[in-house]
Short mmCIF file of all heavy atoms in Angstrom, two decimals:
data_model
loop_
_atom_site.label_atom_id
_atom_site.label_comp_id
_atom_site.label_asym_id
_atom_site.label_seq_id
_atom_site.Cartn_x
_atom_site.Cartn_y
_atom_site.Cartn_z
N LEU K 44 0.85 -1.18 0.00
CA LEU K 44 0.00 0.00 0.00
C LEU K 44 0.89 1.23 0.00
O LEU K 44 2.05 1.18 0.40
CB LEU K 44 -0.95 0.01 1.20
CG LEU K 44 -2.21 -0.84 1.02
CD1 LEU K 44 -1.93 -2.30 1.27
CD2 LEU K 44 -3.32 -0.35 1.94
N LEU K 45 0.32 2.32 -0.45
CA LEU K 45 1.07 3.56 -0.60
C LEU K 45 0.56 4.59 0.40
O LEU K 45 -0.65 4.83 0.48
CB LEU K 45 0.92 4.09 -2.03
CG LEU K 45 1.50 5.48 -2.31
CD1 LEU K 45 3.01 5.50 -2.10
CD2 LEU K 45 1.14 5.91 -3.73
N ALA K 46 1.47 5.18 1.14
CA ALA K 46 1.13 6.27 2.06
C ALA K 46 1.70 7.57 1.51
O ALA K 46 2.87 7.63 1.16
CB ALA K 46 1.69 6.00 3.45
N VAL K 47 0.86 8.58 1.44
CA VAL K 47 1.26 9.89 0.92
C VAL K 47 0.98 10.94 1.99
O VAL K 47 -0.16 11.09 2.44
CB VAL K 47 0.49 10.24 -0.37
CG1 VAL K 47 0.93 11.62 -0.88
CG2 VAL K 47 0.73 9.18 -1.44
N MET K 48 2.01 11.66 2.39
CA MET K 48 1.86 12.70 3.38
C MET K 48 1.71 14.06 2.71
O MET K 48 2.32 14.32 1.66
CB MET K 48 3.08 12.73 4.31
CG MET K 48 2.92 13.65 5.51
SD MET K 48 1.74 13.00 6.72
CE MET K 48 2.71 11.62 7.36
N ASP K 49 0.89 14.91 3.30
CA ASP K 49 0.84 16.31 2.90
C ASP K 49 0.87 17.16 4.16
O ASP K 49 1.16 16.66 5.25
CB ASP K 49 -0.38 16.60 2.01
CG ASP K 49 -1.70 16.25 2.68
OD1 ASP K 49 -1.80 16.42 3.92
OD2 ASP K 49 -2.63 15.83 1.99
N SER K 50 0.55 18.43 4.04
CA SER K 50 0.70 19.32 5.19
C SER K 50 -0.38 19.14 6.24
O SER K 50 -0.25 19.67 7.35
CB SER K 50 0.70 20.77 4.72
OG SER K 50 -0.54 21.12 4.13
N VAL K 51 -1.42 18.40 5.93
CA VAL K 51 -2.52 18.28 6.89
C VAL K 51 -2.92 16.84 7.20
O VAL K 51 -3.91 16.62 7.88
CB VAL K 51 -3.77 19.06 6.40
CG1 VAL K 51 -3.51 20.54 6.42
CG2 VAL K 51 -4.20 18.58 5.02
N GLY K 52 -2.20 15.86 6.74
CA GLY K 52 -2.58 14.50 7.08
C GLY K 52 -1.93 13.47 6.18
O GLY K 52 -0.93 13.72 5.51
N LEU K 53 -2.53 12.30 6.15
CA LEU K 53 -1.98 11.14 5.47
C LEU K 53 -3.07 10.46 4.66
O LEU K 53 -4.19 10.27 5.14
CB LEU K 53 -1.43 10.15 6.51
CG LEU K 53 -0.76 8.88 6.01
CD1 LEU K 53 0.60 9.22 5.41
CD2 LEU K 53 -0.57 7.92 7.17
N THR K 54 -2.76 10.11 3.43
CA THR K 54 -3.68 9.35 2.58
C THR K 54 -3.02 8.04 2.20
O THR K 54 -1.84 8.02 1.81
CB THR K 54 -4.04 10.13 1.31
OG1 THR K 54 -4.56 11.41 1.66
CG2 THR K 54 -5.07 9.39 0.49
N THR K 55 -3.75 6.93 2.32
CA THR K 55 -3.22 5.64 1.92
C THR K 55 -4.04 5.09 0.77
O THR K 55 -5.26 5.27 0.70
CB THR K 55 -3.26 4.64 3.09
OG1 THR K 55 -4.59 4.50 3.56
CG2 THR K 55 -2.36 5.11 4.22
N TYR K 56 -3.34 4.40 -0.13
CA TYR K 56 -3.97 3.84 -1.32
C TYR K 56 -3.67 2.36 -1.43
O TYR K 56 -2.53 1.92 -1.24
CB TYR K 56 -3.43 4.52 -2.59
CG TYR K 56 -3.73 5.99 -2.70
CD1 TYR K 56 -2.88 6.93 -2.13
CD2 TYR K 56 -4.86 6.44 -3.38
CE1 TYR K 56 -3.14 8.29 -2.23
CE2 TYR K 56 -5.12 7.80 -3.50
CZ TYR K 56 -4.27 8.71 -2.92
OH TYR K 56 -4.53 10.05 -3.03
N GLN K 57 -4.71 1.59 -1.75
CA GLN K 57 -4.55 0.19 -2.11
C GLN K 57 -4.92 0.05 -3.57
O GLN K 57 -6.00 0.45 -4.00
CB GLN K 57 -5.45 -0.71 -1.27
CG GLN K 57 -5.36 -2.18 -1.65
CD GLN K 57 -6.30 -3.05 -0.83
OE1 GLN K 57 -6.64 -2.71 0.30
NE2 GLN K 57 -6.71 -4.17 -1.40
N PHE K 58 -4.00 -0.51 -4.37
CA PHE K 58 -4.23 -0.66 -5.81
C PHE K 58 -4.76 -2.05 -6.12
O PHE K 58 -4.51 -3.02 -5.39
CB PHE K 58 -2.94 -0.40 -6.58
CG PHE K 58 -2.52 1.04 -6.58
CD1 PHE K 58 -1.80 1.56 -5.52
CD2 PHE K 58 -2.85 1.88 -7.63
CE1 PHE K 58 -1.41 2.89 -5.51
CE2 PHE K 58 -2.48 3.21 -7.63
CZ PHE K 58 -1.75 3.72 -6.56
N GLU K 59 -5.47 -2.13 -7.22
CA GLU K 59 -5.99 -3.43 -7.63
C GLU K 59 -4.83 -4.37 -7.92
O GLU K 59 -3.84 -3.98 -8.54
CB GLU K 59 -6.88 -3.28 -8.87
CG GLU K 59 -6.20 -2.69 -10.09
CD GLU K 59 -7.16 -2.57 -11.26
OE1 GLU K 59 -8.20 -3.21 -11.22
OE2 GLU K 59 -6.83 -1.85 -12.22
N PRO K 60 -4.91 -5.61 -7.47
CA PRO K 60 -3.79 -6.54 -7.67
C PRO K 60 -3.73 -7.05 -9.09
O PRO K 60 -4.74 -7.10 -9.81
CB PRO K 60 -4.12 -7.68 -6.70
CG PRO K 60 -5.62 -7.66 -6.59
CD PRO K 60 -5.99 -6.20 -6.68
N ALA K 61 -2.53 -7.41 -9.50
CA ALA K 61 -2.35 -8.02 -10.81
C ALA K 61 -2.94 -9.43 -10.79
O ALA K 61 -2.78 -10.17 -9.82
CB ALA K 61 -0.87 -8.08 -11.16
N THR K 62 -3.61 -9.79 -11.85
CA THR K 62 -4.19 -11.14 -11.94
C THR K 62 -3.18 -12.14 -12.47
O THR K 62 -3.38 -13.34 -12.36
CB THR K 62 -5.42 -11.13 -12.85
OG1 THR K 62 -5.06 -10.61 -14.14
CG2 THR K 62 -6.50 -10.25 -12.24
N GLU K 63 -2.10 -11.64 -13.04
CA GLU K 63 -1.03 -12.51 -13.52
C GLU K 63 0.24 -11.69 -13.54
O GLU K 63 0.22 -10.46 -13.56
CB GLU K 63 -1.33 -13.04 -14.93
CG GLU K 63 -1.57 -11.95 -15.96
CD GLU K 63 -2.00 -12.51 -17.30
OE1 GLU K 63 -2.26 -13.73 -17.39
OE2 GLU K 63 -2.06 -11.73 -18.25
N PRO K 64 1.41 -12.36 -13.51
CA PRO K 64 2.67 -11.61 -13.51
C PRO K 64 2.80 -10.73 -14.74
O PRO K 64 2.28 -11.03 -15.80
CB PRO K 64 3.73 -12.73 -13.50
CG PRO K 64 3.03 -13.93 -12.96
CD PRO K 64 1.61 -13.81 -13.43
N SER K 65 3.55 -9.64 -14.59
CA SER K 65 3.75 -8.73 -15.71
C SER K 65 4.37 -9.43 -16.91
O SER K 65 4.10 -9.10 -18.05
CB SER K 65 4.65 -7.56 -15.28
OG SER K 65 3.95 -6.70 -14.43
N ALA K 66 5.21 -10.43 -16.63
CA ALA K 66 5.89 -11.13 -17.72
C ALA K 66 4.91 -11.83 -18.65
O ALA K 66 5.22 -12.08 -19.82
CB ALA K 66 6.87 -12.16 -17.15
N LYS K 67 3.69 -12.13 -18.16
CA LYS K 67 2.72 -12.83 -19.00
C LYS K 67 1.72 -11.88 -19.65
O LYS K 67 0.85 -12.32 -20.39
CB LYS K 67 1.98 -13.86 -18.14
CG LYS K 67 2.89 -14.99 -17.61
CD LYS K 67 2.09 -15.99 -16.81
CE LYS K 67 2.98 -17.12 -16.31
NZ LYS K 67 2.22 -18.12 -15.53
N ARG K 68 1.83 -10.60 -19.32
CA ARG K 68 0.90 -9.65 -19.90
C ARG K 68 1.46 -9.09 -21.19
O ARG K 68 2.67 -9.06 -21.42
CB ARG K 68 0.61 -8.51 -18.91
CG ARG K 68 -0.03 -8.99 -17.61
CD ARG K 68 -0.75 -7.85 -16.92
NE ARG K 68 0.14 -6.77 -16.55
CZ ARG K 68 0.67 -6.61 -15.34
NH1 ARG K 68 0.43 -7.51 -14.41
NH2 ARG K 68 1.43 -5.58 -15.07
N ALA K 69 0.57 -8.62 -22.04
CA ALA K 69 1.01 -8.06 -23.32
C ALA K 69 1.83 -6.80 -23.13
O ALA K 69 2.71 -6.49 -23.91
CB ALA K 69 -0.21 -7.76 -24.20
N GLY K 70 1.57 -6.06 -22.07
CA GLY K 70 2.31 -4.84 -21.80
C GLY K 70 1.94 -4.31 -20.44
O GLY K 70 1.09 -4.87 -19.74
N PRO K 71 2.58 -3.24 -20.02
CA PRO K 71 2.28 -2.68 -18.71
C PRO K 71 0.85 -2.18 -18.64
O PRO K 71 0.28 -1.73 -19.64
CB PRO K 71 3.29 -1.53 -18.60
CG PRO K 71 3.61 -1.17 -20.01
CD PRO K 71 3.57 -2.45 -20.77
N GLN K 72 0.28 -2.31 -17.47
CA GLN K 72 -1.10 -1.87 -17.28
C GLN K 72 -1.17 -0.86 -16.15
O GLN K 72 -0.48 -0.99 -15.14
CB GLN K 72 -1.99 -3.07 -16.93
CG GLN K 72 -2.05 -4.12 -18.03
CD GLN K 72 -2.90 -5.31 -17.63
OE1 GLN K 72 -3.55 -5.28 -16.60
NE2 GLN K 72 -2.88 -6.36 -18.44
N MET K 73 -1.98 0.16 -16.35
CA MET K 73 -2.19 1.13 -15.31
C MET K 73 -3.16 0.55 -14.28
O MET K 73 -4.21 0.03 -14.63
CB MET K 73 -2.75 2.43 -15.90
CG MET K 73 -2.96 3.54 -14.88
SD MET K 73 -3.29 5.14 -15.65
CE MET K 73 -4.83 4.77 -16.49
N ARG K 74 -2.78 0.62 -13.01
CA ARG K 74 -3.58 0.07 -11.93
C ARG K 74 -4.28 1.21 -11.21
O ARG K 74 -3.65 2.19 -10.82
CB ARG K 74 -2.70 -0.69 -10.96
CG ARG K 74 -2.05 -1.92 -11.58
CD ARG K 74 -3.07 -3.00 -11.82
NE ARG K 74 -2.47 -4.15 -12.50
CZ ARG K 74 -3.15 -5.17 -12.94
NH1 ARG K 74 -4.46 -5.21 -12.79
NH2 ARG K 74 -2.55 -6.17 -13.55
#
């Protein structure tokens, strides 16, 4: 997960998981 700090607090992000390794995908995918 990603934590991002700013001047007034903290935001955390959970990204959708890959369904298969990148090596098996046709190309990079934006999550």
Side-chain angles (χ1 to χ4, degrees):
L44 278 81
L45 172 63
V47 180
M48 189 71 71
D49 58 35
S50 64
V51 292
L53 182 72
T54 305
T55 58
Y56 296 88
Q57 178 181 333
F58 289 84
E59 59 180 344
T62 56
E63 57 185 8
S65 288
K67 295 182 179 180
R68 299 201 299 263
Q72 298 178 8
M73 182 168 63
R74 295 289 176 186

